[in-house]
Amino acid sequence: MPPLVQLDKNLLKWAYQRPFNNTPMIKALIFMGDAPFWMLIIVMAALAAQILNSTAFDQLAMALMLGLTIGHLTFGQLKVRVKRRRPYANPALQESLNITINNRDPGHASKEFESFPSGHVFWTTLSASLIAFQFGVVGAMLFGWMIPAMMFLRPHLGVHYPSDTLAGLTLGIVMASITHAVFPYVWEVITPLKSSPNYVYGYWLFIGAFLVVGVKSWLKRV
């Protein structure tokens, strides 16, 4: 067996066998790592932009919507095309590790062949990176800790291999970098529209449509 494959399995076993308690904190982390949480962050950023008349929060809301859209186009294809059994659905893996792995997150990981990559790590890395791009060290400190937390949590719950989380991390960084590079051009197009008296209504209509489409897409994944 290749050393990296064995390392992946050993790290999975180590993470899964750490003491597990289905505490409110664990449930909160599961929610915070998934796409709906980041959609909620978009709404909060958009509200802050309107209430505080803040360009920074306005740009963050737009960047997150752009990033989640770009990210979904790639992430969604990987989920569909790469057929990898989740650890809890892989009897051969469990036999080789001499442990029984259960699905500790049935609400978000019910599809047995969609292990690669980790969505929680991907969405968290993408969104936390965009927040850090926008708010610097403060943004990184507020949300950056979630990335390693998710990378441990998903194998701990028996629903991802460590290599799935590494793939989610890498993809998230790449998609965040692409979004950050493209966003100035998108913002340049949006800026002249702000002078329209109907801009605010169109702005919230767009966010509402984005959320509806995003939630429907997410429901297909869980």
Side-chain angles (χ1 to χ4, degrees):
M1 181 180 297
L4 289 179
V5 174
Q6 187 60 52
L7 177 62
D8 195 28
K9 290 183 176 181
N10 290 341
L11 288 173
L12 168 65
K13 183 176 183 178
W14 175 84
Y16 184 78
Q17 290 187 317
R18 297 310 93 199
F20 173 72
N21 293 301
N22 195 18
T23 62
M25 182 60 181
I26 292 293
K27 294 177 181 178
L29 283 173
I30 291 173
F31 171 69
M32 291 167 66
D34 214 351
F37 173 77
W38 298 109
M39 294 180 197
L40 180 61
I41 294 295
I42 289 172
V43 174
M44 293 174 65
L47 284 172
Q50 296 292 307
I51 295 171
L52 303 175
N53 193 26
S54 168
T55 299
F57 280 110
D58 196 7
Q59 289 179 335
L60 176 61
M62 289 292 185
L64 285 173
M65 284 190 282
L66 178 63
L68 265 61
T69 301
I70 294 174
H72 174 71
L73 296 176
T74 304
F75 170 77
Q77 288 300 309
L78 286 173
K79 277 291 192 182
V80 171
R81 297 180 183 278
V82 180
K83 302 295 184 181
R84 188 184 197 187
R85 284 184 179 272
R86 294 183 186 271
Y88 71 80
N90 191 337
L93 167 73
Q94 296 177 47
E95 183 178 355
S96 69
L97 294 178
N98 194 30
I99 60 172
T100 298
I101 300 177
N102 297 311
N103 181 3
R104 293 169 173 171
D105 183 19
H108 296 78
S110 61
K111 294 192 174 182
E112 297 181 357
F113 285 92
E114 292 193 0
S115 187
F116 184 91
S118 167
H120 276 66
V121 175
F122 170 66
W123 297 122
T124 300
T125 302
L126 170 61
S127 302
S129 296
L130 290 175
I131 293 171
F133 283 143
Q134 185 64 35
F135 291 103
V137 175
V138 174
M141 291 178 63
L142 286 175
F143 292 94
W145 64 271
M146 293 177 61
I147 298 174
M150 292 300 160
M151 293 186 73
F152 168 77
L153 180 65
R154 303 314 284 168
H156 180 57
L157 296 175
V159 298
H160 282 292
Y161 303 85
S163 54
D164 295 334
T165 68
L166 183 60
L169 172 71
T170 304
L171 185 62
I173 292 172
V174 171
M175 291 298 104
S177 299
I178 292 173
T179 302
H180 185 60
V182 171
F183 182 72
Y185 302 100
V186 175
W187 186 253
E188 186 176 345
V189 173
I190 293 172
T191 300
L193 302 177
K194 293 177 176 293
S195 60
S196 170
N198 296 320
Y199 173 78
V200 173
Y201 301 105
Y203 177 75
W204 283 104
L205 182 63
F206 178 80
I207 290 178
F210 176 86
L211 294 177
V212 169
V213 173
V215 170
K216 285 185 177 180
S217 177
W218 172 74
L219 288 173
K220 293 179 181 178
R221 297 265 63 81
V222 298

